[in-house]
Amino acid sequence: MTRPSGGRRRRLVWILPALLALLLAAGAVKVLTGGQGDVSNPDVEFDTAPPTVPSATTPQPSTTTTAKDPFDDGFEWPMYGYTDTRARYLPLDRPLRPPFSLRWKVTGRILLEFPPVICGRSLYLLKNNGALYSISRRTGHVRWRKKLGYLAAASPACHDGVVYSVLLQRGKTIRAGRVVALRGYTGRTMWSRKLPSRSESSPLIFQDRLYFGSEDGTVYALDTANGDVKWTYKAGGAVKGAIAEDGDGRLFFGDYSGSVTALRRADGARIWKTGTSGGAFGLRSGNFYATAAVAYGRVFIGNTDGFVYSFGAKDGRLAWRHKTGGYVYSSPAVSPVRGGTVYAGSYDGKLYAFDARTGNVKWSRNSGGKISGGPVVIGDLVFYSNLSRKSTAAVGAATGAPVWSIGRGAFNPVVSDGQRIYLVGYTNLYAFAEEGRTAEGTLTAAARERRRAHLRAASVRRHRRYVAARVAARKREVAERLARRRAGARVCFRSGGKTVCRVPRPPVCFKRSDGRTVCRARKG
């Protein structure tokens, strides 16, 4: 066997220590992150108080509310995920129940990837071709349409009569976006700012600031009045998901370097940053496309490495992670059901319900196709869309039992104002309402009569069950008394308003002339 040359020996001298260092690093990653499997650290801080979000049936006050128009009620679903925590949960005082009937639809041929937002009487929908639509909540009439750019993949945000949008490309040959603010009533541009990179991060409005990320890793804080830059932060990878806020002055987002970061809302200073290592044998991170949801003092987010993660909001400690069977582009939803539940879809075709504290799977439902968009919890129902089947379904939030489905949808499923469900199809937008309800949400005369008949029938069934239970109980009592009498035990019964107990005397038995044995009870 020939000996290696001097050059080869020198290369081996460098290569072997490098391999050793790599193996040691892999071991350290496995120790710190638990390797590639599931992790649960229940000692990480968990706030048991359920998330407080405005209810659809107790809308925010509005100075323009009129009694004549039920859709001018001051209700707002002002941004992607409903609230600044991006929890995607709308509580309802009166839950919505199928069957749902179609009230109107806005048709088109342009892809709809992200849902509209709701402010007052209007929905604002940003299509993938960069066109922003103002649509009547009540009738589906398109009030105005404004072409803002060439390509978009985000929901707009609306507040105080102004609509804010970000674009992936402001022109066909320009691989850079922009952010624009328009008057909600007229569509007139208030201000516009060009961006050096593309952006598909649905904007966050908090007080007088607008927050969003971009593909070059820049997170922006702009003045909502004029678009002036207040601060920026440079992340290690593209920031494609929306920015979430926890109400305590912290902003959260994931990026394409596989890191989750918390910033101070006031000045953009970094509070903490944590990485992941769920891909490539624990030696590299996946990408965070999903938008984080913040609740219970935790940050919940999915990753293309197939894991759903939970981090402590204060310090970024890993609370738990759970492996699914595919990419997790789906942005999680969080509801207080059963002590706190996190819902997320996966490319393995399953919708998962995780325990918010431990990460244990409460239930999972196989949808039969890829789930790309984030689920939404409306009342006690979880809505999700199936990208493979181009469909949308609703299941019970507590059990995952199927409730409703329709062959429309693809990405992010629905938004709601508590009266109607606004469903995002592949290219069309639909408004559904409970069958038998008026535009104001009240029951029609025919529906009231059907409900009364249903209540009468239910009352009859309850009475029959009550009578059957009483009869069965009486039969059991008689049978037990006879059994005790045969065994010679005490027999108690009510007589004259008193309970009387007696020990029955044994019967007198004798043989008759025909050979038969006859037993008779003794008297006295």
Side-chain angles (χ1 to χ4, degrees), residues 212-240:
F212 60 93
S214 64
E215 279 193 357
D216 65 0
T218 304
V219 175
Y220 293 88
L222 305 185
D223 191 318
T224 56
N226 50 32
D228 289 346
V229 177
K230 294 302 180 180
W231 57 255
T232 61
Y233 173 84
K234 190 70 172 180
V239 180
K240 297 198 174 190

Side-chain angles (χ1 to χ4, degrees), residues 263-286:
L263 305 180
R264 192 162 58 214
R265 189 184 66 230
D267 56 9
R270 190 172 73 190
I271 300 173
W272 55 259
K273 178 181 177 180
T274 185
T276 59
S277 57
F281 305 101
L283 298 179
R284 69 171 176 83
S285 302

Side-chain angles (χ1 to χ4, degrees), residues 44-51 293-300 310-313 334-342 356-357:
V44 174
E45 183 177 359
F46 184 84
D47 185 359
T48 56
V294 186
Y296 301 106
R298 299 277 185 86
V299 180
F300 306 97
S310 171
F311 300 97
V334 187
S335 85
V337 170
R338 295 174 58 186
T341 305
V342 180
R357 179 191 288 272

Side-chain angles (χ1 to χ4, degrees), residues 43 73 77 141 166 200 250 287 328 373 410 512 520 524:
D43 60 327
D73 53 7
W77 186 302
H141 171 70
V166 297
E200 54 181 313
R250 293 185 292 253
N287 302 322
V328 182
R512 295 177 51 173
R520 293 178 179 173

Side-chain angles (χ1 to χ4, degrees), residues 196-422:
S197 175
R198 309 194 326 161
S199 178
E200 54 181 313
S201 173
S202 300
L204 165 69
I205 303 173
F206 193 91
Q207 296 177 354
D208 58 349
R209 295 288 183 269
L210 188 73
Y211 304 93
F212 60 93
S214 64
E215 279 193 357
D216 65 0
T218 304
V219 175
Y220 293 88
L222 305 185
D223 191 318
T224 56
N226 50 32
D228 289 346
V229 177
K230 294 302 180 180
W231 57 255
T232 61
Y233 173 84
K234 190 70 172 180
V239 180
K240 297 198 174 190
I243 311 296
E245 202 271 347
D246 67 349
D248 291 326
R250 293 185 292 253
L251 304 175
F252 305 93
F253 62 90
D255 62 47
Y256 262 43
S257 73
S259 297
V260 176
T261 305
L263 305 180
R264 192 162 58 214
R265 189 184 66 230
D267 56 9
R270 190 172 73 190
I271 300 173
W272 55 259
K273 178 181 177 180
T274 185
T276 59
S277 57
F281 305 101
L283 298 179
R284 69 171 176 83
S285 302
N287 302 322
F288 284 109
Y289 175 83
T291 295
V294 186
Y296 301 106
R298 299 277 185 86
V299 180
F300 306 97
I301 188 169
N303 191 291
T304 58
D305 61 13
F307 283 98
V308 177
Y309 291 86
S310 171
F311 300 97
K314 287 186 177 180
D315 53 15
R317 291 176 59 201
L318 178 63
W320 57 261
R321 73 180 185 192
H322 186 90
K323 181 75 170 178
T324 70
Y327 299 132
V328 182
Y329 289 105
S330 172
S331 300
V334 187
S335 85
V337 170
R338 295 174 58 186
T341 305
V342 180
Y343 307 91
S346 171
Y347 262 44
D348 67 1
K350 291 182 180 179
L351 177 68
Y352 292 86
F354 302 100
D355 185 286
R357 179 191 288 272
T358 65
N360 294 333
V361 177
K362 295 182 177 180
W363 55 260
S364 65
R365 179 161 187 83
N366 195 334
S367 68
K370 298 174 182 177
I371 300 177
S372 178
V376 177
V377 185
I378 307 295
D380 57 358
L381 299 179
V382 183
F383 291 82
Y384 67 96
S385 290
N386 188 309
L387 177 60
S388 303
R389 293 188 170 186
K390 303 293 188 298
S391 64
T392 300
V395 298
T399 64
V403 176
W404 178 77
S405 64
I406 189 171
R408 298 179 179 92
F411 296 97
N412 292 275
V414 300
V415 296
S416 176
D417 54 16
Q419 303 176 40
R420 293 181 176 180
I421 293 169
Y422 303 96

